[in-house]
Amino acid sequence: MKKRSKASSKRRTSLTAHVSPGTRVALYARSALLPSEFKEEAGLLLPFTTYFQDPFVGKNDPETNLNEETKVPWEPGFADGPTSSRFAIVDYNADTGALEPPAVWNESSQAFLGVKGQKIDKDALDTFQFHQVSVWALLQCALAFYEDPSALGRPIPWAFEGNRLIVVPHAGFGENAFYDRDSKSLQFYYFDSEGETVYTCLSSDIVHHEFGHAVLDGVRPLFNESSDPQTGAFHEFMGDLSAILLTLKNRTLRQQLAKTAGGVFTKATTLFQVAEQFGQAVDGHPYLRSAFNDKKMGDVSNEVHDLSEVMTGAMFDVLTGLGELYDDDAEEGSGTGAAAAGDGPRGGKKADKTVRKKSPVQVFYAAADRMQRMAIQPLDLLPPVEVTFHDYALAVCRSQRLADPLDPRDYYGMLIKVFLKRKIFTAADVAELKKPTYLNDRLDLAVGPHMDSLSRSRAAAYRFLDDNREYLLIPASRDFFVADLYEARKRGRQNLIMPRQIVLQYAWREEVELSGAQFGKYDGKTTSMLCGGTLVFDDNGTVLSWMMKPGSEPYGRPVGRGKRTERWATAVQEGTARRAAFLQSLADQIAAGEVGVALETAKGFMAASVPLVIADEDGDGDRIRFRLAPHLHLSKDHQRTRPQTGERKWEISF
Ligand SMILES: [Zn+2]
């Protein structure tokens, strides 16, 4: 192993690819089958320089803060900008009107070059072209992380028309950064702090957080129409989770973390220290710090960032639990029992006497690797609309069951314990989840699915759903639509290929009249509440998962006897409660002055003043659609709860 790492560090300094451009394209076409060492050798994985966390982390020792091995998968179409198939960097500053020259792709050196033809490496940190290439490289890697079979196992779509996410590294002056669907962009601002300029595009945590919004918006675009604070909070959670997981996935950083831990992986303490260090070093970017908390549902306000910390904390408990479990392997060489999450460090006296099986680096690797599957793969099971923490927790548990039905280490039990501790699950949920049951049940359907046609055609998927309205809780007269249809090829432990999943999402809008003074200027208007479900099939048509957000309307025709009648009654009850909660949250948001129209700047980018909830006219002026504004918290604003006084209400650019 040592030999190999020496060789690879030599490769870093001089590109030793001896493949012709034609051969490279031929290899690229088969790159999924090639090992990464070979891809590096053949120039199919190119190294770029980025900051690990933020230029302000380890400011005194900038060398250790630079990652010169951010490996980006090569594509035939790399171009100036950088521009690649899914991203385009556009360095336009809306405040100054300046358009910075782009980094230039140089085919012969297979690298991006600066304006004077210089290399873009650690000697070019102060150039805007370094910023452009660095933010692009981080995003390429983040996209690869999500598309990996250990995550979603499929290409990630954007939530807008077009295939390139525009990235603006120096969008203007301000403590801000955001993802914006309307302008199809991620925008990064810069600001002054103690005499130095802080560029948010250089902070990998911020870049990854914003990218988390873009990914979630891509895979569940209807979430942004939810008025449930938990859906907005889930978006924030995804941002923070992306920042944490991408940090831990970074091989070089993991090695550094393990070194910081002094060669002894002291279970939870190490992660805790790491979290603290990062929190202190980048005041105001408290991704990891905020992850280490004990917050439970009910402890926090409905402000989305506050609320998100409950779920971020829960998943950090899971990560810590995995770390403890694997560290026990290392010390005792056995895998007994489940990890008790969040119980803090235990003993450690025996560490000196026993032979280690896993090094701290391996423990980090194993925990981060499993976490990617445990936390990201369940996203495919989520309902298409209005996700809650409870939904996600259920999806995480179900996904664990599907991936690991026998689960000798009882990860399932560990997950349930964490969600119960955070009050995301109730005791009743736990009783239900722990009932002895079969892995799969036959879903009661009038017409079974023909997977060959269903998986290949939205029209066929629609027919299947329409034939089964009564069984799938879709009101008979309501027009519904196929929100998405795709297949995913995921991998489980030991990189084993899991059965192909076919994911079908359907949704419809239930009309809701806004009537009463609590709706302010929207009194008398009509809006809609989204309802729908997600079905996940395997190749044989077995339903692996069905998650549903019902409406308040009954089926509208006679329903078959027995279970189906019961199912409809429960659904209508749940839908009626959803409708009441929907109206209540809307009234609350209107009362808090959070609802308004987005004002766009003359330059076409999103305005600096954007309400939390944007009201769009839908057709004529009597119909309104409400949607969440995309956003980010930066700096100390995060520590405050949402202002009740009206202060800053319109100032925060979300
Ligand atoms: Zn955010």
Side-chain angles (χ1 to χ4, degrees):
M1 288 301 279
K2 269 185 185 166
K3 266 185 192 164
R4 197 196 297 160
S5 68
K6 261 188 197 164
S8 83
S9 67
K10 259 185 202 163
R11 269 205 306 277
R12 209 177 351 132
T13 50
S14 64
L15 194 70
T16 57
H18 295 298
V19 292
S20 69
T23 308
R24 184 177 292 121
V25 175
L27 289 169
Y28 165 80
R30 288 155 186 81
S31 64
L33 306 170
L34 304 174
S36 54
E37 285 91 346
F38 178 78
K39 284 196 265 191
E40 281 177 43
E41 197 88 48
L44 290 169
L45 266 182
L46 301 178
F48 291 90
T49 305
T50 61
Y51 286 99
F52 277 126
Q53 290 269 279
D54 187 288
F56 284 78
V57 176
K59 211 160 88 184
N60 302 328
D61 190 7
E63 290 282 306
T64 61
N65 189 29
L66 282 176
N67 182 8
E68 294 175 68
E69 294 196 61
T70 301
K71 302 273 170 61
V72 174
W74 179 84
E75 294 169 16
F78 282 167
D80 301 355
T83 302
S84 53
S85 75
R86 307 301 308 282
F87 299 100
I89 312 297
V90 179
D91 204 349
Y92 176 70
N93 188 322
D95 280 354
T96 64
L99 182 66
E100 293 297 330
V104 175
W105 175 246
N106 184 283
E107 190 62 32
S108 65
S109 64
Q110 290 285 299
F112 286 101
L113 303 179
V115 276
K116 292 172 193 151
Q118 78 274 36
K119 276 174 86 178
I120 294 180
D121 55 15
K122 62 181 178 183
D123 297 322
L125 298 178
D126 293 334
T127 67
F128 276 10
Q129 287 68 37
F130 174 83
H131 297 188
Q132 296 159 5
V133 175
S134 140
V135 70
W136 171 83
L138 288 172
L139 289 167
Q140 288 282 136
C141 290
L143 180 64
F145 171 85
Y146 275 101
E147 294 187 341
D148 192 273
S150 288
L152 295 176
R154 63 189 171 90
I156 307 284
W158 304 137
F160 47 79
E161 243 178 70
N163 292 299
R164 286 192 180 121
L165 180 60
I166 296 165
V167 182
V168 187
H170 310 100
F173 189 79
E175 287 190 44
N176 209 354
F178 54 80
Y179 158 70
D180 177 42
R181 187 200 289 184
D182 293 350
S183 59
K184 310 177 179 186
S185 68
L186 292 173
Q187 310 224 2
F188 298 94
Y189 288 72
Y190 54 90
F191 59 95
D192 286 331
S193 170
E194 294 169 9
E196 286 181 81
T197 305
V198 178
Y199 294 98
T200 59
C201 70
L202 292 179
S203 162
S204 57
D205 280 347
I206 294 175
V207 172
H208 293 152
H209 176 100
E210 293 313 311
F211 187 62
H213 285 307
V215 168
L216 186 59
D217 199 34
V219 302
R220 288 294 183 276
L222 297 173
F223 281 0
N224 85 331
E225 282 189 53
S226 168
S227 69
D228 190 323
Q230 285 195 32
T231 309
F234 187 76
H235 244 287
E236 291 313 315
F237 156 71
M238 272 294 293
D240 285 357
L241 184 77
S242 300
I244 292 168
L245 292 184
L246 283 155
T247 296
L248 292 176
K249 267 306 239 191
N250 189 306
R251 190 180 52 186
T252 321
L253 186 65
R254 265 199 315 259
Q255 284 164 348
Q256 284 194 4
L257 293 182
K259 241 188 265 166
T260 316
V264 182
F265 187 84
T266 47
K267 299 169 181 150
T269 340
T270 305
L271 280 170
F272 177 73
Q273 282 165 353
V274 168
E276 282 291 286
Q277 275 174 11
F278 287 162
Q280 281 162 14
V282 271
D283 182 38
H285 312 161
Y287 298 102
L288 282 168
R289 186 179 53 191
S290 65
F292 210 91
N293 68 61
D294 273 326
K295 292 180 183 170
K296 299 175 179 65
M297 297 304 281
D299 291 355
V300 289
S301 76
N302 267 347
E303 197 279 324
V304 292
H305 301 100
D306 267 0
L307 193 51
S308 74
E309 288 188 16
V310 178
M311 188 46 98
T312 311
M315 294 315 278
F316 201 70
D317 283 349
V318 173
L319 182 68
T320 312
L322 294 172
E324 288 193 24
L325 189 63
Y326 300 146
D327 197 50
D328 284 348
D329 286 355
E331 287 182 7
E332 292 153 26
S334 67
T336 50
D343 286 344
R346 286 172 281 155
K349 284 177 194 164
K350 280 193 281 178
D352 293 339
K353 296 177 188 169
T354 50
V355 178
R356 285 191 168 274
K357 278 197 167 179
K358 280 195 173 114
S359 71
V361 179
Q362 288 169 318
V363 171
F364 265 113
Y365 179 80
D369 183 56
R370 182 164 283 276
M371 201 58 199
Q372 183 182 14
R373 283 177 275 131
M374 270 186 166
I376 306 297
Q377 291 186 340
L379 294 178
D380 272 338
L381 312 189
L382 295 179
V385 302
E386 201 179 80
V387 72
T388 61
F389 289 176
H390 188 256
D391 295 329
Y392 177 68
L394 285 176
V396 169
C397 290
R398 179 63 184 159
S399 174
Q400 172 58 30
R401 267 286 180 255
L402 292 171
D404 215 349
L406 299 182
D407 200 0
R409 311 197 80 163
D410 197 23
Y411 293 117
Y412 184 72
M414 179 182 95
L415 292 168
I416 290 175
K417 200 172 152 181
V418 167
F419 295 134
L420 179 67
K421 195 181 100 183
R422 298 282 176 165
K423 298 197 177 161
I424 293 165
F425 279 164
T426 61
D429 290 325
V430 175
E432 184 64 31
L433 286 163
K434 290 205 161 176
K435 255 189 212 165
T437 180
Y438 296 95
L439 181 62
N440 292 308
D441 276 318
R442 178 187 291 276
L443 188 66
D444 186 24
L445 293 169
V447 181
H450 292 280
M451 294 319 293
D452 273 355
S453 59
L454 187 151
S455 67
R456 292 193 183 102
S457 144
R458 280 188 180 230
Y462 174 83
R463 278 300 294 273
F464 161 78
L465 293 165
D466 192 50
D467 289 343
N468 287 293
R469 280 177 183 259
E470 183 188 342
Y471 296 74
L472 295 172
L473 304 171
I474 306 168
S477 57
R478 193 51 71 188
D479 200 16
F480 72 90
F481 56 97
V482 173
D484 209 346
L485 173 69
Y486 52 84
E487 66 159 53
R489 294 183 181 269
K490 300 186 169 81
R491 285 178 184 256
R493 58 181 279 279
Q494 297 180 339
N495 220 16
L496 289 166
I497 299 172
M498 288 163 50
R500 182 172 76 124
Q501 293 177 350
I502 294 97
V503 182
L504 169 57
Q505 299 175 53
Y506 59 98
W508 69 93
R509 293 176 189 280
E510 186 175 301
E511 289 204 346
V512 179
E513 306 287 332
L514 302 177
S515 162
Q518 71 271 34
F519 299 110
K521 66 173 180 176
Y522 306 104
D523 182 11
K525 308 260 183 196
T526 305
T527 188
S528 57
M529 176 176 84
L530 278 164
C531 311
T534 299
L535 286 157
V536 182
F537 303 91
D538 69 10
D539 259 333
N540 304 317
T542 302
V543 174
L544 304 176
S545 167
W546 180 33
M547 294 190 84
M548 174 70 197
K549 293 279 161 173
S552 68
E553 294 169 321
Y555 179 47
R557 286 184 201 160
V559 176
R561 277 169 301 160
K563 276 191 181 167
R564 231 170 302 145
T565 312
E566 241 173 74
R567 209 191 293 161
W568 266 102
T570 316
V572 168
Q573 207 180 2
E574 197 189 316
T576 307
R578 281 188 66 220
R579 191 183 171 108
F582 172 80
L583 287 169
Q584 186 61 52
S585 328
L586 202 55
D588 290 349
Q589 286 165 334
I590 290 168
E594 294 168 1
V595 182
V597 288
L599 306 166
E600 290 194 15
T601 62
K603 289 170 184 131
F605 287 123
M606 199 173 165
S609 292
V610 174
L612 295 172
V613 179
I614 299 168
D616 297 322
E617 282 189 7
D618 181 13
D620 61 62
D622 290 336
R623 304 173 69 86
I624 306 287
R625 272 192 200 178
F626 298 96
R627 62 187 165 99
L628 299 172
H631 61 257
L632 158 93
H633 53 86
L634 250 193
S635 81
K636 286 123 199 154
D637 287 336
H638 178 72
Q639 300 303 325
R640 300 181 200 150
T641 53
R642 190 160 55 194
Q644 304 296 319
T645 57
E647 173 210 2
R648 279 188 68 89
K649 203 173 287 172
W650 289 82
E651 210 179 300
I652 306 167
S653 175
F654 270 68

